[in-house]
């Protein structure tokens, strides 16, 4: 019985025919085997004695069976290898062209260097002010506000303005990984040592002095014509780390932005003060109530500690990354491609994001652990980085860049007990993913896995899928819902008894309630979803003449669900048997919706039945689950 030809087979045979014809034409000069028919040639007369004869080749006549013989396995492998090589080469050339587009021009670098020099000279002339209490703002002009929410209103300590101890460029610009279109350069301004006190780590004293120093810098720069606009913002959405945004005057005002950081002198605070198990926010100070427990039993404040510790290490991080970059010529280009990939997926901005700094540290980790080579190209660095992200779960097994951490550095187990995602910096003391949720990292893993599938598929345009196509939440999720009235979460934190977490996040009730909401939805939706994601709160920006915005002023909190089609529309949630120890937890999760039911197999188990008479109602079962759980647990009333 003859095999039915598919629509694709004739094209394969045509390719084979031309390959055979060309091969026969090329090899006709070689000695032929005895069973092969001789190829007739026509020789022309020599133009002169001793001249070479010209040979004219004629196509070889093949039988019908030879023309339509299926290609062999070896020939198919050769065709596949050629196709793969072409696909990878094209992708590599497209990435090289992209790198040229996002690189800073020499003209722009000259403008940036000129503005940095101007700002540096202005900051060196900051006048001194008399020493006052931290809560005394009489020295500050009424036209400039402090970029900090003063809750509680007062704390101990004294403050005065003084010229910076040093001014240094940090971050992506001196490292060579700064890219267009959003050009951001970072300037670290060192607060003089006599302004700070070693005990300022307690009860927000240092963060408030940091904010006051930025306000003093803004007041000094406000009268200069060399500064375009001035605004406040927060570094990656962290309200404890305000920054001052400066732009140049004139037509270059939108071409780049300078981010001014106020930092303590290197080594001013001991890293051991910021251990994840250590407390630096006292309950009595935060609540205003008399303490009923000794100081040793105070809850730890790991997120607050990591926020302050991050200010101590930017120069050390720059030195570390510069040393790594000098050994790998494609390091900067690899980081640039990874930043583009993150930007298209909206994973590089906001609270708990995987920003360009983490992208640089990830490549540094892969290089120092010899998972990638110093001789690799940017194309190979990006591919290996995505492969590592897709195959490594930092929520379960953290990684560390510290080779020889000191005895006071926390262990990976201690980091995991305090944070959901663990990536430790070279000092061994800072978890660089302290604010990242497990859901954000799972989203990063998922996107990396999908990207690798696109990369290896020669039938799709991998370049546009990887680096040119925006993928916001609305395009990557099956269901999206929002919590719009964020002020409701403030009372939710009280009802859920999250006081210690609220102190750790310095009163940010949105970030305090978010991990609890994610955990609740993950348990309730279970196998119905493949992935649960949430929006990253964007970095707020406001005028230096305005008060810092409230926590409720941020955009609505969005959640995305990637469903499993075979389970998402099920109206029955079958639980454990009635006599099982897990039955109590099931009833506690679902409340009054849980009831005993007998099934056809004779089992009597806990179960929850959802409304789903029509297909339309079945598609909205996840919505019923979410609304029921949030209202039952007093988190949010839909």
């Amino acid at each position: 019985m003859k095999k039915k030809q598919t629509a694709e087979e004739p094209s394969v045979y045509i390719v084979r025919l031309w390959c055979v014809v060309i091969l026969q034409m090329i090899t006709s000069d070689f000695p032929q085997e005895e069973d092969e028919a001789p190829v007739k040639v026509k020789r022309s007369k020599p133009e002169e004695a001793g001249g070479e004869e010209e040979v004219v080749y004629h196509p070889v006549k093949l039988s019908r069976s030879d023309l339509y013989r299926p290609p062999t396995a070896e020939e198919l492998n050769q065709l596949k290898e050629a196709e793969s090589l072409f696909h990878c080469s094209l992708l590599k050339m497209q990435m090289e062209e992209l790198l040229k587009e996002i690189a800073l021009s020499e003209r722009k670098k000259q403008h940036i260097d000129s503005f940095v020099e101007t700002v540096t000279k202005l900051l060196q002339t900051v006048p001194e002010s008399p020493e006052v209490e931290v809560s005394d703002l009489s020295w500050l002009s009424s036209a400039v506000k402090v970029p900090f929410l003063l809750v509680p209103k007062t704390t101990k300590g004294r403050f005065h303005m003084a010229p910076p101890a040093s001014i240094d460029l940090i971050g992506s610009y001196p490292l060579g990984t700064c890219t267009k279109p959003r050009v951001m350069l970072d300037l670290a301004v060192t607060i003089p040592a006599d302004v700070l006190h070693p005990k300022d780590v307690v009860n927000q004293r240092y963060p408030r002095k940091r904010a006051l120093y930025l306000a003093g810098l803004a007041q000094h720069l406000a009268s200069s014509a060399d500064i375009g606009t001035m605004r406040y913002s927060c570094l990656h959405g962290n309200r404890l780390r305000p920054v001052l945004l400066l732009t140049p005057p004139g037509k270059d005002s939108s071409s780049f932005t300078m981010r001014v950081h106020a930092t303590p002198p290197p080594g001013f605070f001991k890293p051991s003060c910021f251990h994840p198990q250590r407390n630096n926010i006292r309950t009595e100070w935060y609540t205003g109530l008399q303490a009923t427990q000794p100081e040793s039993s105070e809850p730890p404040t790991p997120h607050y500690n990591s926020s302050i510790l991050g200010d101590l290490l930017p120069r050390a991080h720059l030195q570390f990354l510069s040393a790594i970059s000098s050994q790998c010529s494609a390091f900067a280009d690899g980081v640039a491609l990874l930043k583009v990939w993150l930007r298209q997926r909206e994973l590089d901005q906001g609270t708990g994001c995987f920003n360009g700094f983490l992208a640089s540290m990830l490549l540094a980790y892969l290089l120092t652990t010899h998972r990638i080579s110093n001789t690799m190209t940017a194309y190979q660095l990006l591919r290996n980085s995505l492969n590592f992200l897709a195959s490594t779960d930092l929520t379960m097994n953290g990684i560390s860049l510290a080779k020889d951490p000191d005895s006071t550095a926390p262990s990976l187990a201690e980091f995991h007990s305090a944070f959901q995602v663990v990536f430790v910096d070279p000092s061994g003391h800072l978890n660089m993913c302290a604010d990242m949720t497990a859901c954000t990292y799972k989203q990063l893993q998922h996107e990396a896995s999908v990207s690798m599938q696109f990369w290896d598929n020669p039938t799709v345009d991998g370049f546009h899928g990887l680096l040119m196509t925006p993928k916001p939440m609305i395009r990557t999720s099956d269901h999206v819902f929002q919590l719009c009235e964020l002020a409701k979460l403030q009372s939710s934190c009280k009802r859920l008894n999250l006081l210690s977490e609220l102190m750790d996040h310095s009163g940010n009730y949105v970030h305090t309630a978010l991990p609890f909401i994610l955990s609740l939805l993950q348990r309730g939706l279970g196998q119905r979803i493949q992935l649960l994601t949430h929006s990253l709160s964007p970095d707020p920006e406001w005028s230096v003449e305005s008060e810092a915005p409230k926590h409720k002023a941020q955009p609505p909190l969005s959640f995305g669900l990637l469903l499993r089609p075979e389970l998402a529309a099920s109206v029955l949630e079958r639980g454990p048997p009635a006599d099982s120890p897990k039955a109590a937890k099931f009833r506690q999760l679902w409340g009054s919706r849980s009831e005993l039911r007998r099934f056809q197999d004779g089992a009597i188990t806990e179960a929850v039945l959802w409304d789903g008479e029509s297909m339309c109602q079945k598609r909205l079962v996840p919505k019923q689950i979410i609304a029921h759980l949030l209202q039952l647990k007093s988190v949010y009333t839909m």
Side-chain angles (χ1 to χ4, degrees):
M1 186 175 183
K2 293 185 177 181
K3 179 182 177 183
K4 186 177 180 181
Q5 293 183 356
T6 63
E8 298 179 356
E9 287 181 347
S11 63
V12 176
Y13 295 150
I14 291 172
V15 172
R16 171 175 170 76
L17 172 61
W18 280 107
C19 291
V20 172
V21 169
I22 294 172
L23 183 62
Q24 290 288 357
M25 292 172 62
I26 295 174
T27 59
S28 60
D29 277 350
F30 293 94
Q32 299 178 352
E33 300 292 340
E34 293 181 359
D35 56 347
E36 292 183 352
V39 179
K40 295 181 179 181
V41 298
K42 180 179 179 181
R43 293 181 172 84
S44 61
K45 295 181 180 180
E47 296 179 358
E48 56 183 7
E52 295 182 357
E53 296 181 347
E54 182 180 356
V55 181
V56 179
Y57 296 99
H58 295 281
V60 179
K61 293 184 178 180
L62 299 175
S63 65
R64 186 178 182 83
S65 61
D66 289 333
L67 286 175
Y68 292 97
R69 179 170 58 84
T72 64
E74 181 180 356
E75 290 170 340
L76 286 174
N77 286 335
Q78 291 174 353
L79 289 172
K80 184 177 180 181
E81 182 180 351
E83 185 180 29
S84 176
L85 182 62
F86 171 78
H87 173 71
C88 295
S89 298
L90 178 62
L91 190 59
K92 181 179 178 181
M93 289 188 291
Q94 288 173 316
M95 290 184 180
E96 289 173 351
E97 290 300 315
L98 174 63
L99 287 171
K100 295 177 183 178
E101 291 294 324
I102 63 177
L104 300 183
S105 64
E106 290 300 323
R107 181 172 175 273
K108 177 160 285 190
K109 289 181 180 179
Q110 291 175 1
H111 284 311
I112 291 175
D113 294 339
S114 174
F115 187 63
V116 170
E117 184 179 356
T118 300
V119 174
T120 300
K121 290 180 179 179
L122 288 173
L123 292 177
Q124 289 172 343
T125 60
V126 171
E128 293 200 20
S129 68
E131 189 174 68
V132 295
E133 293 291 329
V134 170
S135 56
D136 184 1
L137 304 181
S138 58
W139 59 275
L140 194 62
S141 169
S142 59
V144 176
K145 304 298 182 183
V146 180
F148 199 86
L149 289 175
L150 302 176
V151 180
K153 192 170 182 60
T154 61
T155 188
K156 294 181 180 179
R158 299 183 66 80
F159 175 82
H160 70 278
M161 279 300 298
S166 63
I167 302 173
D168 306 292
L169 270 175
I170 58 173
S172 60
Y173 183 71
L175 187 62
T177 58
C178 189
T179 59
K180 295 187 294 187
R182 192 169 183 269
V183 181
M184 187 77 71
L185 55 146
D186 298 272
L187 194 69
V189 177
T190 304
I191 304 174
D194 59 350
V195 176
L196 303 174
H197 190 276
K199 291 186 178 181
D200 282 346
V201 297
V202 179
N203 295 341
Q204 297 184 1
R205 296 176 196 172
Y206 163 72
R208 297 193 182 200
K209 288 185 178 182
R210 184 186 196 274
L212 288 171
Y213 198 81
L214 282 177
L217 297 181
Q219 179 175 256
H220 175 67
L221 296 175
S223 58
S224 174
D226 295 324
I227 305 297
T229 61
M230 286 196 304
R231 295 178 65 81
Y232 288 131
S233 184
C234 296
L235 187 62
H236 309 314
N238 191 335
R239 294 300 187 92
L240 288 175
R241 305 182 72 180
V243 292
L244 180 62
L245 304 181
L246 306 178
T247 60
K251 61 181 181 180
D252 295 327
S253 60
S254 60
S255 60
F256 62 88
T257 303
M258 174 184 285
R259 195 160 47 187
V260 179
H261 307 252
T263 63
F268 185 83
F269 298 120
K270 294 181 180 179
S272 58
C273 297
F274 308 104
H275 193 283
Q277 302 300 324
R278 184 154 181 169
N279 172 275
N280 282 311
I281 299 291
R282 307 293 187 251
T283 305
E284 181 178 358
W285 171 80
Y286 188 81
T287 62
L289 303 175
Q290 188 68 31
T292 58
Q293 55 186 359
E295 185 175 313
S296 58
S297 61
E298 290 275 4
T301 53
H303 291 89
Y304 172 83
N305 296 349
S306 64
S307 297
I308 300 179
L309 185 58
D311 281 354
L312 295 172
L313 301 169
R315 294 172 181 83
H317 289 162
L318 178 60
Q319 293 175 0
F320 171 77
L321 291 173
S322 298
I324 296 294
S325 178
S326 64
Q327 300 171 8
C328 178
S329 58
F331 180 84
D333 288 343
V335 173
L337 289 177
L338 192 51
K339 288 169 70 173
V340 173
W341 182 84
L342 290 165
R343 185 181 304 125
Q344 296 291 14
R345 286 149 184 81
E346 298 184 350
L347 292 170
D348 67 329
Q349 296 292 326
T351 307
C353 63
F354 198 93
N355 50 58
F357 168 67
L358 286 174
S360 303
M361 284 296 188
L362 175 64
L363 277 183
Y365 173 79
L366 297 178
L367 286 166
T368 55
T369 55
H370 306 292
R371 285 177 167 83
I372 56 179
S373 169
N374 289 329
T375 59
M376 285 185 175
T377 63
Y379 167 89
Q380 294 170 318
L381 294 180
L382 176 62
R383 179 183 175 87
N384 282 275
S385 300
L386 296 182
N387 185 59
F388 177 82
L389 289 173
S391 58
T392 308
D393 190 357
L394 298 187
T395 64
M396 301 297 294
N397 301 299
I399 56 177
S400 175
L401 277 163
K403 291 184 177 180
D404 298 309
D406 58 52
S407 57
T408 62
S411 64
L412 285 178
E414 288 174 319
F415 276 119
H416 274 294
S417 66
F419 306 106
Q420 295 187 6
V421 186
V422 176
F423 185 9
V424 183
D425 82 317
S427 73
H429 290 273
L430 175 66
N431 177 24
M432 297 179 289
C433 294
D435 294 330
M436 187 180 296
T437 64
C439 288
T440 298
Y441 186 79
K442 293 294 184 182
Q443 181 185 3
L444 183 70
Q445 266 193 309
H446 171 76
E447 292 294 344
S449 178
V450 172
S451 296
M452 292 303 297
Q453 296 174 18
F454 268 76
W455 199 311
D456 295 329
N457 190 346
T459 63
V460 299
D461 188 352
F463 175 72
H464 280 81
L466 285 168
L467 300 172
M468 300 300 290
T469 306
K471 289 192 67 180
M473 180 181 292
I474 195 68
R475 297 184 65 179
T476 57
S477 305
D478 297 315
H479 285 185
V480 175
F481 72 95
Q482 291 183 330
L483 302 182
C484 299
E485 300 178 19
L486 298 182
K488 293 181 179 180
L489 297 179
Q490 186 172 15
S491 57
S492 300
C493 291
K494 297 179 180 179
R495 288 194 297 267
L496 297 171
N497 195 24
L498 300 177
L499 177 61
S500 58
E501 290 83 357
L502 194 63
M503 291 193 303
D504 188 23
H505 288 89
S506 302
N508 192 330
Y509 48 81
V510 178
H511 296 161
T512 300
L514 180 60
F516 180 85
I517 295 174
L518 294 172
S519 175
L520 180 65
L521 297 182
Q522 194 78 56
R523 290 165 56 201
L525 295 168
Q527 296 299 316
R528 296 175 186 268
I529 60 171
Q530 182 181 349
L531 185 68
L532 171 64
T533 64
H534 64 90
S535 60
L536 303 176
S537 303
D539 301 348
E541 291 188 16
W542 66 99
S543 170
V544 295
E545 301 174 357
S546 306
E547 300 284 351
K550 306 292 185 182
H551 297 302
K552 64 181 180 181
Q554 62 180 284
L557 197 58
S558 301
F559 297 85
L561 308 179
L562 186 60
L563 304 176
R564 285 191 170 91
E566 67 276 11
L567 298 175
S570 174
V571 297
L572 180 67
E573 190 79 29
R574 185 169 174 174
D579 56 351
S580 171
K582 297 181 180 179
K585 292 183 179 180
F586 188 87
R587 289 191 297 270
Q588 182 182 8
L589 175 63
W590 297 108
S592 60
R593 291 300 296 257
S594 177
E595 56 185 4
L596 285 177
R597 284 182 173 267
R598 180 188 290 273
F599 293 88
Q600 291 182 353
D601 59 0
I604 301 176
T605 69
E606 296 285 346
V608 177
L609 186 65
W610 303 102
D611 300 332
E613 296 180 359
S614 65
M615 197 60 213
C616 178
Q617 287 181 325
K618 289 181 179 180
R619 290 194 184 101
L620 295 178
V621 166
K623 178 185 176 182
Q624 297 180 51
I625 294 174
I626 292 168
H628 172 72
L629 288 176
L630 293 181
Q631 187 167 2
L632 176 66
K633 302 301 179 182
S634 301
V635 178
Y636 192 92
T637 304
M638 304 293 282

